[in-house]
Amino acid sequence: MQVSYNLLKEYIDMDMSPEELAQRLTINGIILERMENISTEIEKVVVGKIIAIEQHPEKKKLSVCQVDIKKKILPIICGAKNMKVFDKVAVALDGSKLPKIGIIKSKKFGGVLSSGMLCSASELGIEPGKSPGILILEKEAVLGEDIRKMIKFDDTIFDFEIHSNRPDLMSVIGIAREIGAIINNKLKIPEIEIKEEGEKIEKDIVVKIEEEDLCPRYAGRVIKDIKIEESPLWLKWKLRLLGARPINNIVDITNFVMMETGQPLHAFDLDLVKGKTIIVRRSRPGETICTLDDVERQLPANSLVIADTEEPIALAGIMGGKHSEIDQSTKNVFLESAYFNPVNNRKSTAKFSLRTEASNRFEKGIDKEVQIYALDRAADLINKVAMGKISSGKIDTNEKLYQPNKINLRIKRVSKILGQFLDKDESKTKNKIIDILDKLEFKLVKDMGEYIEVIPPSFRGDVEREIDIIEEIARIYGYDKILPTLFNTTIAQEGKDFRLKVVDQVREILIGCGLNEVITYSFISPETFDKIRIPEGHKLRNAIKIKDPLTRDHSLMRTSLISSLLEIIKWNTNRQIELVKIFEVAKIYLPYPDRSSSLPNEKLIIAGAINKSVRGDVWEKSLSLDIFDVKGIIETVFQGLKVENWEVVQGNHPAFHPLRNGKIIIRGEEVGIFGEIHPEVINNYRIPGKVNLFEIDFENLFPNVPSDIKYCVLPKYPSVQRDLAFIVKEEILSADIIKTIKLIDEKLIKKVTLFDIFKGKQIGDGYKSLAYSVVFQAEDRTLTDQEVENIFRKIREKLIVKFNAKIRE
Amino acid sequence: MENKIKGVKKEIVSKLNLVKDLKDIEKLRVEYLGRKGIVTLLLRKLGSFSAEERPKAGQLLNQSKREIEELLKIKEIEIEKLEKEKRLQGEGIDLTLPGRKLDRGTAHPINLVLKEIEEIFLSLGFKIEEGPEVELDYYNFEALNIPKDHPARDDQDSFYINKEILLRTHTSPVEIRVMEKQQPPIRMITIGRCYRRDAADSTHAPMFHQIEGLAVDKDITFGDLKGVLTVFVHRIFGKDRKVRFRPAYFPFTEPSAEVDVSCLLCHGRGCRACGYTGWLEIMGSGETDPAVFKMVGYDPEKYSSFAFGMGAERIAMLKYGINDIRLFFENDLRFLKQF
């Protein structure tokens, strides 16, 4: 809501600077969004009257005006065309000062002297942008008077953010009233004198309400014989302060009164209302209307419209129709001041995606008692400004719309909610409460001792319950005066549960492994699946779809983190960052089979990726990151979490290289995948080099994380280590060999470690040489050489039989 | 004889002063104590002495031999020490060469901030709760006193999946889920991703993180809200920060308060960052509206509570002086490695 300091002062006496005022209002809940000092430097601009206009002898586009400024008559050259003889205008004299232009001097144009300039509204700072012609002043303007006497150019404009529960503050009077409550001063409401003359209103208009629920109150007046003109300077200036553009005197008055009182008004050209009848009804199928913004609109059935006997002439509470618009030829108007149902208004604005100053107020719920005041205020102004004659009588379909709501306020309850408050003495507290409520224009109905009966004013539709009143008390009393306390309730301090602690631990380990944590959007594009080679029909393609996404790239909820990490690698390698090692701990979203009714399965995933750059400096290259680096990271995580008994089997995830594609299994369940990203995928993302990546399903991993550690007695007897090297076919898996060795004697063989792997000519094509160290240890004795040799022999025999191993001596 | 021995000793002492290395000492040892050494030869000559002279001369000679051995030993140790030192002197290295570090990664700044906030509330006795990101309209709006046609609800701002399901727009639904399943007292926080239909620009992102807190008990007051949140602000932004509570409107709290902290850049004097107000808005808060209590079956006459919520991105931007929210989601390593 835009308003100015001087404008507010017309409604409330205050001796605060604009800065102080903004500060006070902000801490009371009316937040200042913008403040602008518009003090403009205008000097030597006076009211003049054009007494003659001639064409410039040489320059055809210019006119030479003779302007009477009371003391003398000045020749002034002007390029505008909108002035007539006897118009009153703003004259910038020789040596005058204008805000944007600077100093104006007498000057010759094509041999004719111009002793000043005729000003346009924008040149005076009254309109933003560039005005089409010069400013024509009202006839009442006093000849020769300094323009600064007509308007106060020095002012401060505030733009306040109004909370949606306070539509009463979307008006100058509302804000002034709030200031009054804060500084304890009385509001000055403009007085109205309605001079009814001529015929009765009923002769010219009949109002029929078909939808009382949607339009519970409809008031109106007829004003005749008006003169459509530009608004007088004072009104234009007010509109400028309120942030509105002047159009003509009638429209300007309805706009001004709306912003002054909070009640939207609409003026219809009475002579264009067919059948002399206003009908408030729902639209019928197929009806259309051309609105004031020149848009031809199809009316969805059941939209609330204002219609005449033939067709809709306005969208109720939103915008008027073009057909009955006020224009130069308008003679008589019907002025509407209604209350429309907020919920329905809100639905309609959504349907038309058309939000206006009027709908913005109606949808939040306006004062139910202000209709007649606003109507009469506008009628009075039209009478004064546009010479209109107010027909006698008015229309008001429901004087009793406002039903006072009596609320009981328990004095004790106030301190119970707010804490240390006001005064220890309860009766003093009560007096202070009553005092605050009085400032807010709440009516004290009855004092019942422990509680008081209160009626909120009609403009405070948001106050419905005791708690709402308590908030009002706190607000006006001042949040800053309520003492901060620390509660001392007893509560079991559960802190962080084990699951979240494990998540933290995983993140710590991954950071320790040298990975940088990333956070990426949960959305993906439908193209992602093709890019990471997920075939049609694959379960990963079954993703949650956002109904109305911002962009196609953000239209699905992801089912894997793979593409998100690849995008980040691409972002970085595109910026000459060669080595990228990243991880993310985030959710994927898997739809349940029954899509419509239940929420998806949100699974926490730990994913990491490292690239191997093609270029990069020598040191980084020497790292030569490959699949075993990501596997090593997974192993480090498992080691840190004390997860054991995991195994790796060949995987088949389509995003990975078909053979460098592993699956991690714990107790028969898949816990994660890792591998080298498929070269086609790498190509799709245009990433240089290779990427190795892993994804661990935290939900499957977590049940395998032991929650506590059990100490094992340290071995008392020494261990014996023997090494063993042999040649086997290349496709034999190391994990199978280790498993086989361990099975020979599960009790005495403590550890089997691969310490060398070798391929080469000496070994032969398709073969590899493997070397393992085997550690033997007994818990109850020192093993003898003979015992160890016996087991060792069995190992060799088994390897020969099972894997066709050639033992190297 | 005596003089001769004294002469030998003197000779040795002066020769020892000229010794340069262990080899020289070995030479001296052979020269005097070796099989054909001067002292050995003298000892052999003892036989030619008279019986009276012999014991005295023998004693003298033997003592001198021990003394010479001692002198040689001392010198030897001295030389050895010198030689060791000399060797160490030759082992200098360039200590400015890079160390072999284990390249440590970094936590994302958002998580860094979330962690810090979490720690503060954990220490104040709050428990951490979790809830779904894809949420029912009921939990996200209706149960929070935002019925279908409430002005505070704008379909334009939410990502809907279907009529009843949407991406949560705040973490408040977790409060409802917790209150539904347990009775007071409650002291909880929840942290997570939220989504709003905002196109990305320097201050908006379609996804962001929120931290939400709730305390419910018999005697919780607005004063407690002020107390707890003041402690929070002081711990996250520093004790010298001023805190301001300003009336606000949220459908699910009454009274409601916006929490401001004195500007971190200008210390309240007013600058561009704080829009020349001296204050920065950091979170919303308030006492839970009785209407919300009714939705979860709590008796508002018996219990009161306060709740608060803030955006992690905003806190991180203020704390680290980051001016563009998009940086958090671009994940440029040059950015991430600063944290």
Side-chain angles (χ1 to χ4, degrees), chain B residues 215-232:
Chain B
V216 192
D217 209 339
K218 280 186 182 133
D219 287 305
I220 284 182
T221 67
F222 195 79
D224 294 328
L225 176 153
K226 283 187 69 178
V228 167
L229 296 181
T230 304
V231 168
F232 165 74

Side-chain angles (χ1 to χ4, degrees), chain B residues 108-109 322-332 335-336:
Chain B
H108 193 282
I322 295 165
N323 56 9
D324 193 328
I325 198 172
R326 286 169 292 199
L327 283 165
F328 292 122
F329 306 110
E330 282 169 2
N331 296 292
D332 192 305
F335 172 76
L336 295 178

Side-chain angles (χ1 to χ4, degrees), chain B residues 228-294:
Chain B
V228 167
L229 296 181
T230 304
V231 168
F232 165 74
V233 170
H234 283 158
R235 280 179 59 180
I236 193 125
F237 290 118
K239 256 214 137 35
D240 49 340
R241 294 280 149 240
K242 285 200 205 89
V243 191
R244 180 171 84 173
F245 293 82
R246 197 162 35 75
Y249 169 67
F250 309 111
F252 36 92
T253 50
E254 188 89 355
S256 306
E258 209 97 58
V259 184
D260 295 344
V261 57
S262 55
C263 180
L264 307 167
L265 289 175
C266 64
H267 301 274
R269 282 190 297 272
C271 66
R272 251 185 76 184
C274 57
Y276 302 96
T277 62
W279 295 94
L280 296 164
E281 183 184 316
I282 53 165
M283 65 172 128
S285 66
E287 289 191 71
T288 308
D289 196 293
V292 175
F293 269 8
K294 279 186 189 142

Side-chain angles (χ1 to χ4, degrees), chain A residues 518-522 558 564-565 568 584, chain B residues 193 207 329 331:
Chain A
V518 300
I519 293 180
T520 59
Y521 286 148
S522 314
R558 64 185 170 190
S564 309
L565 293 188
I568 300 304
E584 179 166 21
Chain B
R193 293 181 178 215
M207 183 187 97
F329 306 110
N331 296 292

Side-chain angles (χ1 to χ4, degrees), chain A residues 346 465 482 496 522 589, chain B residues 118 133 153 195 226 289:
Chain A
R346 193 178 146 69
R465 307 162 299 170
I482 296 172
K496 205 167 195 174
S522 314
Y589 311 83
Chain B
E118 187 183 283
E133 291 171 24
R153 173 169 172 160
Y195 305 87
K226 283 187 69 178
D289 196 293

Side-chain angles (χ1 to χ4, degrees), chain B residues 178-197:
Chain B
V178 169
M179 287 194 280
E180 266 187 357
K181 69 173 192 235
Q182 79 177 78
Q183 282 297 308
I186 291 174
R187 242 190 252 188
M188 59 148 275
I189 59 163
T190 186
I191 288 174
R193 293 181 178 215
C194 301
Y195 305 87
R196 282 185 201 170
R197 242 179 135 268

Side-chain angles (χ1 to χ4, degrees), chain A residues 413-695:
Chain A
R413 186 79 184 160
V414 180
S415 343
K416 181 153 165 82
I417 297 290
L418 300 179
Q420 258 171 292
F421 179 69
L422 292 174
D423 207 299
K424 277 199 186 106
D425 181 345
E426 205 170 288
S427 67
K428 276 193 192 159
T429 298
K430 191 201 273 176
N431 287 338
K432 285 190 182 169
I433 288 172
I434 291 171
D435 184 45
I436 288 173
L437 292 177
D438 182 54
K439 286 183 198 167
L440 288 167
E441 298 182 34
F442 282 56
K443 212 157 79 195
L444 175 68
V445 184
K446 239 186 245 165
D447 184 344
M448 304 295 287
E450 284 189 1
Y451 68 92
I452 51 177
E453 276 181 25
V454 177
I455 293 176
S458 62
F459 51 86
R460 290 304 303 272
D462 60 309
V463 178
E464 294 175 313
R465 307 162 299 170
E466 183 185 43
I467 190 76
D468 301 328
I469 299 181
I470 294 174
E471 180 179 57
E472 287 303 300
I473 295 166
R475 208 167 55 78
I476 298 302
Y477 175 67
Y479 280 11
D480 52 329
K481 292 191 203 124
I482 296 172
L483 279 183
T485 47
L486 275 181
F487 49 23
N488 49 1
T489 54
T490 48
I491 191 164
Q493 301 206 1
E494 290 161 279
K496 205 167 195 174
D497 68 15
F498 181 58
R499 185 188 135 89
L500 291 171
K501 282 183 189 158
V502 172
V503 175
D504 282 352
Q505 208 184 340
V506 169
R507 294 180 52 237
E508 265 313 308
I509 294 169
L510 293 173
I511 290 167
C513 287
L515 304 190
N516 298 101
E517 186 179 28
V518 300
I519 293 180
T520 59
Y521 286 148
S522 314
F523 323 110
I524 51 168
S525 139
E527 277 75 42
T528 303
F529 301 120
D530 288 339
K531 277 176 94 174
I532 63 169
R533 300 183 74 250
I534 308 294
E536 290 296 334
H538 192 284
K539 64 177 196 294
L540 288 181
R541 278 194 184 250
N542 186 13
I544 307 265
K545 233 191 229 148
I546 295 167
K547 216 168 66 180
D548 193 9
L550 275 171
T551 69
R552 192 172 152 78
D553 282 353
H554 289 173
S555 62
L556 296 179
M557 296 304 279
R558 64 185 170 190
T559 56
S560 155
L561 301 194
I562 293 177
S563 60
S564 309
L565 293 188
L566 291 175
E567 294 282 2
I568 300 304
I569 290 181
K570 177 184 166 188
W571 172 280
N572 281 287
T573 49
N574 277 353
R575 285 161 182 76
Q576 293 88 44
I577 298 158
E578 310 286 347
L579 183 65
V580 186
K581 302 193 281 180
I582 50 173
F583 78 96
E584 179 166 21
V585 180
K587 283 173 168 182
I588 56 167
Y589 311 83
L590 307 176
Y592 277 125
D594 178 14
R595 274 183 155 220
S596 56
S597 61
S598 64
L599 294 177
N601 183 12
E602 296 181 14
K603 286 182 128 190
L604 196 63
I605 299 291
I606 304 155
I610 52 185
N611 74 335
K612 181 186 163 193
S613 51
V614 240
R615 291 172 295 138
D617 63 43
V618 179
W619 187 78
E620 282 176 351
K621 234 180 184 173
S622 72
L623 276 175
S624 164
L625 298 174
D626 64 20
I627 188 166
F628 293 106
D629 289 281
V630 285
K631 194 183 170 210
I633 290 166
I634 299 169
E635 288 180 29
T636 310
V637 170
F638 287 177
Q639 189 185 29
L641 301 180
K642 310 250 176 312
V643 171
E644 285 168 356
N645 302 321
W646 52 272
E647 57 183 333
V648 167
V649 299
Q650 175 70 40
N652 56 1
H653 194 290
F656 293 110
H657 183 299
L659 296 174
R660 298 180 176 182
N661 189 332
K663 229 189 252 182
I664 300 156
I665 308 282
I666 303 180
R667 283 196 246 155
E669 194 165 18
E670 183 177 322
V671 168
I673 49 168
F674 69 98
E676 185 181 306
I677 292 295
H678 198 289
E680 253 177 47
V681 176
I682 294 291
N683 197 38
N684 291 340
Y685 282 88
R686 308 201 187 293
I687 296 171
K690 291 177 178 173
V691 172
N692 283 284
L693 185 145
F694 68 89
E695 246 191 359

